[in-house]
Amino acid sequence: MKTLIIIPTYNEADNVAWICDSVLREQPEVDILVADDNSPDGTGDIADKLAVDDPRIHVLHRQGKEGLGAAYRAGFAWGLAHGYEILVEMDADGSHRPEDLGKLLESARSGVPLTLGSRWVPGGSVVNWPKRREALSRGASLYARLMLDLGVKDATAGFRAFRRETLEAIDLDAVESQGYCFQIDMTRQTRLAGLAVAEVPVTFVERVHGQSKMSFDIVKEALTRVTVWGLQRMNPFGARR
């Protein structure tokens, strides 16, 4: 099945060549789309050179830093327009291991509408994360699961594979979330469309090069939106719809 790995970048000059090479060594039949938000460190220029040397690599140059959600929406639109059947979200910094990619692709190719690479199912793990970061991630997933009845352990997972028909069933233009709230929102939208979500265990590794994009605003957005969505699921008497 025609498969696209979407890798959003902003100031990932130290990582973009390595991650593209690693992905293609593990899964030589896939294509890669680097969606670069006009990185001032030259990430986009590096990606362009990679694309010249390898026809499996493509580059989507965006006007500026608009957030993770906007980058993925643009990547999805590009991939759907170019006929891809499986579209995968993957970080540029190595936190999503290329050697785990096969698990997601096997699940997606078997017909699962959305497959999450999960840290919090049996067999999943994190490496080199401080305890407070792990607590934040686990807490956010638990809160989203309880408020939205998502039925998954790792609602904020950013390593995930969508089938084409899943994305076509979702109104992507209505998904305005950014940061890891975007991941919660996409899981929510998939569930609202009546589609199944599966989780496969992966190992998440803290980045070595560059800086994390996590911020207080990202956490605040997720908390606010999940709370609002959760309340919308309640009828006036407090019963769930």
Side-chain angles (χ1 to χ4, degrees):
M1 300 181 72
K2 193 175 179 183
T3 301
L4 181 68
I5 314 300
I6 303 170
I7 303 178
T9 56
Y10 184 77
N11 286 349
E12 297 288 357
D14 291 333
N15 296 314
V16 65
W18 172 85
I19 194 63
C20 287
D21 179 68
S22 298
V23 166
L24 294 175
R25 277 192 284 109
E26 288 288 335
Q27 301 291 334
E29 77 285 1
V30 307
D31 288 350
I32 293 173
L33 176 67
V34 177
D36 185 65
D37 277 6
N38 196 23
S39 299
D41 71 348
T43 300
D45 293 334
I46 296 172
D48 282 337
K49 293 175 183 177
L50 296 173
V52 169
D53 294 334
D54 193 325
R56 295 171 295 180
I57 299 175
H58 310 272
V59 186
L60 178 63
H61 291 281
R62 293 163 40 74
Q63 292 185 348
K65 188 177 181 182
E66 299 178 16
L68 185 72
Y72 273 130
R73 288 197 304 273
F76 291 149
W78 189 96
L80 293 175
H82 287 80
Y84 288 93
E85 299 168 273
I86 296 174
L87 299 93
V88 178
E89 297 182 15
M90 190 171 188
D91 286 352
D93 60 13
S95 57
H96 300 153
R97 302 190 309 165
E99 53 264 47
D100 285 330
L101 184 55
K103 299 177 186 178
L104 277 75
L105 296 182
E106 181 180 3
S107 176
R109 289 165 180 163
S110 74
V112 176
L114 169 58
T115 301
L116 309 182
S118 178
R119 297 157 289 191
W120 312 131
V121 296
S125 62
V126 296
V127 177
N128 295 330
W129 254 20
K131 290 296 183 182
R132 64 182 181 278
R133 182 75 183 276
E134 181 174 343
L136 176 63
S137 179
R138 286 183 179 273
S141 287
L142 176 61
Y143 185 64
R145 184 166 72 249
L146 294 176
M147 290 294 288
L148 305 177
D149 194 26
L150 295 177
V152 299
K153 297 289 188 181
D154 196 349
T156 66
F159 195 15
R160 48 180 63 198
F162 292 90
R163 288 179 64 90
R164 178 187 186 90
E165 54 267 30
T166 306
L167 293 173
E168 290 176 335
I170 295 172
D171 182 5
L172 291 174
D173 291 335
V175 180
E176 299 178 349
S177 309
Q178 300 298 330
Y180 67 72
C181 187
F182 173 77
Q183 311 298 2
I184 297 172
D185 202 354
M186 290 297 291
T187 305
R188 168 178 168 265
Q189 294 292 343
T190 301
R191 289 293 198 194
L192 289 174
L195 300 173
V197 181
E199 294 179 273
V200 297
V202 299
T203 298
F204 185 98
V205 182
E206 177 69 339
R207 67 159 60 230
V208 175
H209 301 291
Q211 295 182 341
S212 171
K213 309 302 190 297
M214 182 63 68
S215 69
F216 173 76
D217 287 341
I218 289 174
V219 175
K220 180 181 177 182
E221 179 202 25
L223 179 61
T224 301
R225 287 185 182 271
V226 169
T227 300
V228 170
W229 293 331
L231 293 175
Q232 288 173 346
R233 295 183 62 248
M234 309 288 183
N235 67 24
F237 303 102
R240 293 188 181 276
R241 294 177 180 173

